[in-house]
């Protein structure tokens, strides 16, 4: 079954799109070049019995095989608890922001499962593995924006010690969304290498002419983000959108 899926993926490869995608995903050299709508169509059309066998396949060769596995987990018509075993098996395969964010975007669940999902994600925030952390951060960003969870999430983000670029970027992205969900706020320049609360940088939608500005003192009401600059966040979001809509 896995060889049949691999052959189908190879038949959909687009060299120009491979080159484009490879530029967006550093340190990944196994891209075929398949547009995400095609992968989603494969996921929708796959036989459910074959799907389970494929999900447990750890012998992947291509970036798109891993991406497809993530999409299949999201498409399973099952409870969150039933999907957890597949998620636990899948998360260690995540080695780039594209697979991580695409997986999270498709990992929907019912409203009454939210507390279960929160409990499941919490240990990943404390992991020493960068993409475990990013997975949890992006999930919280995507599905836990309401006030009941947002304060808990921001507090958890503040405890993250991992300085890996794509972890820091995800936390900054979450901070931007929390501070200004409908506008692109101005963020100041890049903070020191290991930011702390005392060296945090303010997100502000004000700033003369829309220019970024440095927070000289802690304002009475603002979200504080201890990570990368706005240009990084916007660049990441643009890359995500480019990949998702291509």
């Amino acid at each position: 079954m896995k060889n049949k899926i691999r052959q189908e993926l190879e038949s959909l490869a687009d060299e120009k799109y491979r080159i484009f995608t490879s530029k967006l995903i550093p340190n990944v050299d196994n891209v075929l070049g398949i547009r995400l709508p095609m992968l989603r169509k494969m996921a929708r059309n796959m036989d459910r019995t074959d799907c389970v066998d494929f999900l447990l396949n750890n012998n992947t060769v291509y970036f798109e095989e891993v991406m497809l596995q993530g999409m299949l987990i999201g498409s399973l018509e099952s409870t969150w608890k039933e999907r957890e075993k597949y998620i636990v098996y899948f998360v260690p395969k995540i080695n780039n922001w594209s697979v991580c964010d695409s997986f999270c975007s498709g990992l929907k669940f019912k409203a009454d499962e939210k507390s279960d999902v929160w409990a499941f994600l919490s240990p990943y925030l404390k992991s020493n593995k960068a993409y475990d952390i990013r997975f949890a951060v992006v999930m919280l960003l995507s599905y836990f924006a309401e006030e009941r969870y947002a304060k808990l999430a921001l507090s958890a983000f503040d405890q993250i010690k991992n300085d890996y670029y794509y972890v820091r970027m995800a936390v900054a992205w979450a901070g931007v969304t929390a501070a200004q969900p409908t506008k692109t706020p101005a963020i100041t320049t890049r903070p020191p290498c290991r930011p702390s609360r005392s060296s945090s940088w303010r997100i502000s939608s004000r700033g003369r002419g829309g220019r970024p500005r440095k927070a000289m003192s802690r304002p009475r009401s603002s979200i504080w983000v201890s990570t990368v600059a706005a240009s990084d966040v916007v660049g990441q979001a643009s890359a995500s959108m480019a990949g998702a809509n291509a």
Side-chain angles (χ1 to χ4, degrees), residues 1 19 41-42 44 69 83-84 89 97 99 101-102 114 116 142 154 176 199 211 217 233:
M1 179 60 195
I19 294 171
K41 184 177 180 180
M42 280 188 67
R44 288 195 303 269
Q69 288 178 330
R83 279 187 290 169
E84 279 187 358
Y89 193 73
W97 67 263
V99 166
D101 296 6
S102 176
K114 206 155 206 174
D116 290 335
S142 301
L154 289 171
V176 169
S199 63
R211 292 191 297 272
S217 61
V233 180

Side-chain angles (χ1 to χ4, degrees), residues 91-92 94-97 100-101 104 120-142 153 156-174 194 227:
V91 170
I94 300 174
N95 66 354
N96 62 83
W97 67 263
C100 179
D101 296 6
C104 293
F120 177 83
L121 295 173
S122 294
Y124 285 95
L125 290 168
K126 300 173 184 177
S127 172
N128 60 0
K129 298 178 181 178
Y131 282 105
D132 283 10
I133 301 172
R134 184 177 173 103
F135 161 66
V137 171
V138 175
M139 284 294 292
L140 295 183
L141 165 66
S142 301
F157 297 161
D158 197 50
Q159 302 304 312
I160 293 173
K161 306 301 181 184
N162 192 299
D163 275 336
Y164 183 65
Y165 179 76
Y166 286 103
V167 171
R168 296 168 62 219
M169 189 182 298
V171 177
W173 186 6
R194 180 68 194 104
T227 96

Side-chain angles (χ1 to χ4, degrees), residues 155-239:
S155 177
F157 297 161
D158 197 50
Q159 302 304 312
I160 293 173
K161 306 301 181 184
N162 192 299
D163 275 336
Y164 183 65
Y165 179 76
Y166 286 103
V167 171
R168 296 168 62 219
M169 189 182 298
V171 177
W173 186 6
V176 169
T177 303
Q180 202 68 245
T182 58
K183 297 179 182 179
T184 301
I187 283 190
T188 63
T189 51
R190 187 184 302 272
C193 292
R194 180 68 194 104
S196 64
R197 293 188 67 84
S198 62
S199 63
S200 298
W201 296 78
R202 183 177 65 183
I203 295 178
S204 170
S205 58
R206 301 175 184 179
R208 190 171 299 173
R211 292 191 297 272
R213 64 182 182 184
K214 184 174 180 179
M216 300 304 294
S217 61
R218 185 179 294 250
R220 273 182 267 182
S221 59
S222 67
I223 297 294
W224 284 70
V225 179
S226 309
T227 96
V228 295
S231 59
D232 295 330
V233 180
V234 173
Q236 171 67 56
S238 299

Side-chain angles (χ1 to χ4, degrees), residues 15-102:
E15 177 62 14
K16 289 184 179 179
Y17 191 68
R18 183 194 69 77
I19 294 171
F20 168 75
T21 302
S22 296
K23 291 178 180 178
L24 298 177
I25 312 171
N27 304 317
V28 174
D29 58 3
N30 61 341
V31 176
L32 281 171
I34 303 174
R35 297 176 185 274
L36 293 189
M38 293 182 178
L39 289 175
R40 293 191 186 103
K41 184 177 180 180
M42 280 188 67
R44 288 195 303 269
N45 294 338
M46 190 174 294
D47 180 87
R48 295 298 95 174
T49 303
D50 294 335
C51 168
V52 172
D53 178 61
F54 179 61
L55 288 179
L56 297 177
N57 171 32
N58 203 34
N59 186 29
T60 54
V61 174
Y62 298 118
F63 161 85
E64 284 83 357
E65 287 180 279
V66 179
M67 183 73 83
L68 181 59
Q69 288 178 330
M71 291 177 177
L72 285 169
I73 294 171
S75 71
L76 291 175
E77 295 181 0
S78 56
T79 66
W80 176 267
K81 284 293 186 181
E82 291 170 337
R83 279 187 290 169
E84 279 187 358
K85 61 182 178 182
Y86 299 113
I87 299 170
V88 169
Y89 193 73
F90 180 81
V91 170
K93 300 180 184 181
I94 300 174
N95 66 354
N96 62 83
W97 67 263
S98 182
V99 166
C100 179
D101 296 6
S102 176

